[in-house]
């Protein structure tokens, strides 16, 4: 059973990506909320497990689609037993609840799980809009950090949540652009096969624009530091250059250029919040 989990993590949830992502995603709002060390560790572990569970559940629900588009994956080829992943996802969710006994946070996690339970029951009827809903875990993390600290989310944290969510949704639409007629995609019902390359590219660009605006507003509203604004400006130029090409030529080869920079768009600015928070703690300011 453990080998199935390790194989899945290596293939679909590499630690070298998941740990920094969890750290930045939770760490930045944790700095703003000023959580203590125990809440930091608890929140970081919960964020990591939430992302892992969602990755498992999403892949389990996509086995039929992946059989057409990604037949080499472990779940599709039989190298990874689906039953094992179901057991692990249930186990990690229970651990998350144990780690978060506070009634408010406990109910927040339960409601989040209920949302995804409903989502995976109705997702086939809302194919084109799946990226908007499946990625709600990302903006929920800053809210979770506030609740963990016993505080209500501030306007700046809400704007930061929108900044993250819009970027991830834009990334999903943008990097999923593929040339029509690609192997397996004509028969697979997915948001990118339903919408087509052009509309996916346009939606990706619009969501990144929304992310830029909400990130700037979050900076104006909260004490995010000048490094956040500088990083946001630099990453916006990088993403804009990719989309200028992608909108003119919405093909798979161009879309692949977005994969890493698309995530760095929000990761780099968020990381500056942690850096500035650590510097303030060291200097006592």
């Amino acid at each position: 059973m453990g080998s199935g989990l390790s194989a899945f993590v290596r293939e679909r949830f590499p630690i070298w990506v998941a740990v920094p992502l969890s750290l930045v995603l939770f760490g930045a709002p944790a700095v703003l909320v000023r959580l203590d060390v125990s809440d930091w560790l608890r929140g970081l572990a919960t964020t990591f497990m939430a992302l892992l569970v969602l990755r498992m559940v999403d892949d389990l629900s996509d086995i039929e689609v992946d059989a057409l588009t990604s037949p080499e994956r472990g779940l599709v080829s039989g190298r990874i037993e689906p039953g094992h992943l179901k057991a692990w996802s249930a186990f990690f969710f229970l651990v998350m609840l144990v780690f978060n006994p506070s009634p408010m946070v406990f109910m927040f996690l339960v409601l989040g799980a209920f949302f995804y339970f409903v989502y995976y029951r109705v997702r086939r009827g809302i194919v084109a809009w799946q990226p908007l809903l499946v990625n709600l875990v990302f903006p929920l993390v800053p809210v979770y950090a506030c609740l963990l600290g016993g505080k209500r989310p501030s306007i700046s944290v809400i704007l930061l949540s929108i900044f993250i969510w819009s970027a991830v949704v834009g990334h999903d639409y943008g990097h999923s652009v593929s040339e029509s007629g690609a192997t397996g995609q004509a028969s697979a019902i997915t948001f990118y096969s339903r919408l087509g390359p052009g509309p996916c590219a346009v939606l990706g660009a619009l969501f990144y624009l929304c992310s830029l605006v909400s990130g700037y507003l979050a900076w104006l509203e909260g004490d995010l530091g000048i490094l956040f604004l500088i990083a946001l400006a630099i990453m916006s130029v990088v993403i804009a250059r990719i989309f200028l090409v992608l909108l003119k030529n919405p093909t798979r080869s161009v879309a692949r250029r977005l994969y890493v920079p698309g995530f760095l768009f929000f990761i780099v600015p968020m990381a500056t919040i942690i850096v500035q928070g650590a510097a303030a703690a060291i200097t006592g300011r």
Side-chain angles (χ1 to χ4, degrees):
M1 187 172 175
S3 61
L5 175 63
S6 60
F8 180 82
V9 168
R10 285 195 303 271
E11 180 183 66
R12 300 290 291 149
F13 198 72
I15 298 298
W16 65 273
V17 174
V19 170
L21 176 60
S22 301
L23 178 60
V24 171
L25 196 60
F26 174 78
V31 167
L32 299 177
V33 179
R34 301 181 186 278
L35 294 180
D36 59 29
V37 175
S38 62
D39 283 338
W40 249 89
L41 296 175
R42 181 191 315 172
L44 181 58
T46 299
T47 301
F48 178 86
M49 287 186 286
L51 295 176
L52 175 57
V53 169
L54 184 58
R55 180 75 277 170
M56 289 179 180
V57 173
D58 198 59
D59 276 20
L60 285 166
S61 68
D62 273 345
I63 289 179
E64 293 181 1
V65 172
D66 289 342
L68 297 171
T69 60
S70 305
E72 74 284 354
R73 288 183 181 173
L75 274 174
V76 176
S77 65
R79 288 184 288 107
I80 300 174
E81 172 59 46
H84 290 175
L85 288 192
K86 291 178 182 178
W88 277 115
S89 62
F91 170 76
F92 284 125
F93 180 66
L94 290 176
V95 173
M96 288 164 57
L97 295 180
V98 172
F99 276 13
N100 296 274
S102 167
M104 182 68 73
V105 180
F106 187 95
M107 284 305 301
F108 181 76
L109 295 177
V110 170
L111 289 175
F114 179 73
F115 164 80
Y116 275 106
F117 175 81
V118 174
Y119 165 74
Y120 282 108
R121 291 295 182 276
V122 303
R123 66 183 302 207
R124 300 303 180 193
I126 50 171
V127 173
W129 309 111
Q130 285 179 2
L132 282 73
L133 299 177
V134 73
N135 289 308
L136 274 179
V137 66
F138 288 93
L140 289 180
V141 172
V143 177
Y144 163 71
C146 291
L147 296 178
L148 198 59
K151 300 179 181 179
R152 292 184 178 181
S154 63
I155 296 298
S156 62
V157 170
I158 292 173
L159 287 168
L160 201 63
S161 293
I162 297 172
F163 164 67
I164 298 166
W165 175 75
S166 300
V168 177
V169 172
H171 182 266
D172 257 16
Y173 279 121
H175 89 84
S176 294
V177 168
S178 58
E179 299 175 11
S180 58
T183 303
Q185 293 186 8
S187 54
I189 302 176
T190 59
F191 68 86
Y192 45 89
S193 66
R194 179 68 60 86
L195 291 172
C200 275
V202 171
L203 284 170
L206 289 175
F207 274 102
Y208 270 110
L209 179 61
C210 176
S211 183
L212 168 61
V213 172
S214 56
Y216 177 67
L217 292 176
W219 179 79
L220 287 177
E221 191 69 32
D223 186 21
L224 305 186
I226 190 62
L227 290 180
F228 179 92
L229 185 62
I230 294 172
L232 178 62
I234 292 173
M235 293 312 303
S236 295
V237 171
V238 172
I239 294 301
R241 292 183 64 180
I242 295 174
F243 268 100
L244 284 175
V245 179
L246 187 62
L247 289 170
K248 294 179 181 178
N249 184 29
T251 59
R252 190 177 185 85
S253 59
V254 178
R256 284 177 174 172
R257 302 179 195 173
L258 184 66
Y259 195 81
V260 174
F263 263 102
L264 292 179
F265 176 83
F266 72 89
I267 288 177
V268 175
M270 295 278 285
T272 66
I273 298 175
I274 299 176
V275 171
Q276 292 173 122
I282 294 171
T283 59
R285 294 180 180 178

